[in-house]
Amino acid sequence: MSRRVVVTGMGAITPIGNDVDSFWNGLKEKKVGIGPITYFDTTEYKAKLAAQVKDFNAKDYMDAKAARRMELFSQYAVAAARQALEDAGIDMTKEDPYLVGVAVGSGIGSLQALEKDHKKLLEKGPSRVNPLLVPMMISNMAAGNVGIQFGLKGKNINVVTACATGTNCIGEAFRAIQYGEADVMLAGGTEASICPIGVAGFTALTALSTSDDPLHASRPFDENRDGFVMGEGSGVVVLEALDHALARGAHIYAEVAGYGATCDAYHITSPAEDGSGAARAMVNAIRDAGMKPEDIDYVNAHGTSTHHNDLFETKAIKLALGDHAYQVKINSTKSMIGHLLGAAGGVEFITCVKSIQEGFIHATAGLETEGEGCDLDYTKGDGVAMEVNCAISNSLGFGGHNASILLKKYVE
């Protein structure tokens, strides 16, 4: 029989706060973390806004030498992981390190490292390329560095599924604990790709908003939405076998009860137009939890603010939940922090945990008039205080990757 899995720690580095409390308070206050890009000159770029992390200092979380050997996406992951471990009260001197694992993914890794050393290669030749280019650039190094920093010797993986990365990582960590591969897993996602090639690439794909209004650039489900806003940061949680958590007297935030993952097998960027793939991921998560659609109180939508995503995800929610879709509260955290790509699922999972814990569903900021076909309750206006017993977090990635994770209030 599989073990029950609970959430005992959380850590977050986000565009509206560099810890869970400031992030959550920002969501409650409808604080928008979007502004002009300051990392490079955007004069020739159509997209000039992003959701940047502010006031982050890697040395607050690791020594200077370790920080120098990590690119920003890895630094964010280590910072969020340290917060989560401390929040959970995990004492590694009392744990079998081979039963404490990591599933922290990055969809992209470091484009900045590649940009910098490609320039060196062209201007000064191959001998001038940084010897650490590869281990600083590749996306698994976030998980690797978390393991190294904290002595976590268990299963260590980096599921890369574009914008579904964070949710897939949490789902696979959940499975690892269920079936005894680990007692504890640090799970989530991290990303830092606000750089010239990243912004240019997504702009060329016509995926990014070209709005110059930070408050209305990311406006999921709105009739005037015109693309997503790139964000950055990390969300990492401690998942733990219930028996292990109880034995050490851990504080339990919520229970992870179901996980579903599918592929649209349709198109490299567009979701399936009928929403069938995303719907099946939700259905699988609900079935995995032994629950039914009517049990769902809240859906944290992928909600990117692109035309196709918001319309097709709406269809998916209706397919998965039937008539009950009109009774659930839905929102998009991306309305305030932009799209954190591989980190989105980690941060949005934390949002669901806090919603269950505090009985509050934040508003979808920037949503004024629902777009055609977007006819569900997207928590327009202000947030809503209500009991949340069961929540689903959705993440949908380029390539047709769909992932849904189901959380519920912990009951002994």
Side-chain angles (χ1 to χ4, degrees):
M1 182 172 174
S2 66
R3 298 190 292 178
R4 291 172 70 185
V5 179
V6 292
V7 184
T8 58
M10 300 186 288
I13 302 294
T14 79
I16 58 172
N18 292 339
D19 57 66
V20 170
D21 286 344
S22 57
F23 164 62
W24 176 245
N25 289 333
L27 292 181
K28 291 194 290 186
E29 296 161 7
K30 287 176 69 174
K31 179 180 179 181
V32 175
I34 297 166
I37 294 170
T38 62
Y39 294 156
F40 59 93
D41 182 359
T42 61
T43 302
E44 296 183 14
Y45 291 74
K46 291 179 182 177
K48 299 180 185 295
L49 301 178
Q52 297 179 183
V53 166
K54 292 92 176 164
D55 304 318
F56 176 79
N57 186 348
K59 294 172 189 174
D60 292 339
Y61 303 96
M62 66 202 83
D63 67 58
K65 182 178 179 182
R68 283 195 300 273
R69 292 182 170 228
M70 289 184 219
E71 283 291 288
L72 199 54
F73 79 103
S74 288
Q75 292 179 356
Y76 288 164
V78 168
R82 181 175 290 282
Q83 292 176 21
L85 276 171
E86 290 176 354
D87 184 36
I90 296 285
D91 180 354
M92 285 305 297
T93 65
K94 297 178 180 176
E95 301 291 336
D96 178 347
Y98 290 99
L99 291 176
V100 183
V102 181
V104 174
S106 173
I108 296 175
S110 179
L111 290 174
Q112 293 93 326
L114 191 59
E115 279 182 338
K116 186 165 59 179
D117 276 272
H118 184 250
K119 187 169 186 284
K120 281 187 199 171
L121 174 67
L122 294 180
E123 294 178 355
K124 300 178 180 178
S127 64
R128 300 298 293 274
V129 168
N130 185 351
L132 292 178
L133 167 63
V134 172
M136 292 178 78
M137 171 186 73
I138 52 181
S139 65
N140 69 297
M141 278 299 161
N145 276 306
V146 169
I148 291 164
Q149 287 294 303
F150 305 111
L152 315 181
K153 298 182 178 181
K155 184 176 190 174
N156 192 302
I157 58 172
N158 167 41
V159 180
V160 182
T161 47
C163 306
T165 292
T167 299
N168 276 137
C169 283
I170 293 171
E172 297 304 318
F174 167 57
R175 287 280 185 260
I177 295 170
Q178 274 189 314
Y179 294 105
E181 292 182 307
D183 289 334
V184 179
M185 292 287 291
L186 270 76
T190 188
E191 207 79 86
S193 297
I194 302 170
C195 62
I197 194 67
V199 173
F202 280 112
T203 302
L205 198 57
T206 66
L208 295 186
S209 170
T210 55
S211 170
D212 58 5
D213 177 2
L215 296 180
H216 295 93
S218 182
R219 50 199 314 179
F221 306 105
D222 192 274
E223 65 178 357
N224 293 314
R225 65 192 185 277
D226 73 331
F228 74 81
V229 175
M230 280 185 74
E232 62 176 354
S234 180
V236 176
V237 295
V238 173
L239 301 188
E240 193 167 348
L242 176 60
D243 55 353
H244 187 276
L246 293 175
R248 65 180 191 87
H251 172 73
I252 295 172
Y253 286 107
E255 181 169 359
V256 186
Y259 169 50
T262 64
C263 179
D264 287 337
Y266 172 70
H267 189 271
I268 57 171
T269 57
S270 174
E273 295 183 9
D274 61 359
S276 56
R280 183 59 178 267
M282 283 184 268
V283 168
N284 287 356
I286 293 167
R287 287 176 180 165
D288 189 36
M291 302 177 85
K292 52 189 187 297
E294 293 73 29
D295 295 322
I296 309 303
D297 300 309
Y298 161 48
V299 175
N300 186 293
H302 190 56
T304 60
S305 189
T306 63
H307 177 271
H308 281 12
N309 176 91
D310 297 359
L311 177 60
F312 302 159
E313 188 176 9
T314 295
K315 291 181 179 180
I317 293 168
K318 292 178 190 176
L319 269 177
L321 303 184
D323 291 341
H324 185 63
Y326 291 92
Q327 308 304 315
V328 300
K329 281 285 182 185
I330 300 164
N331 65 8
S332 173
T333 303
K334 294 179 181 70
S335 63
M336 287 176 262
I337 63 170
H339 190 351
L340 271 59
L341 308 175
V347 171
E348 290 159 13
F349 180 94
I350 290 169
T351 304
C352 289
V353 172
K354 294 297 289 184
S355 297
I356 290 170
Q357 185 191 14
E358 295 199 8
F360 184 83
I361 294 172
H362 73 72
T364 298
L367 173 57
E368 294 172 352
T369 303
E370 292 86 346
E372 184 179 356
C374 297
D375 59 350
L376 299 176
D377 181 353
Y378 306 106
T379 321
K380 181 171 70 174
D382 295 315
V384 176
M386 61 173 271
E387 186 172 11
V388 181
N389 290 304
C390 184
I392 287 179
S393 181
N394 286 338
S395 294
L396 319 174
F398 283 172
H401 304 285
N402 305 303
S404 295
I405 200 101
L406 186 152
L407 297 99
K408 66 180 184 181
K409 193 170 283 189
Y410 168 67
V411 179
E412 290 183 23

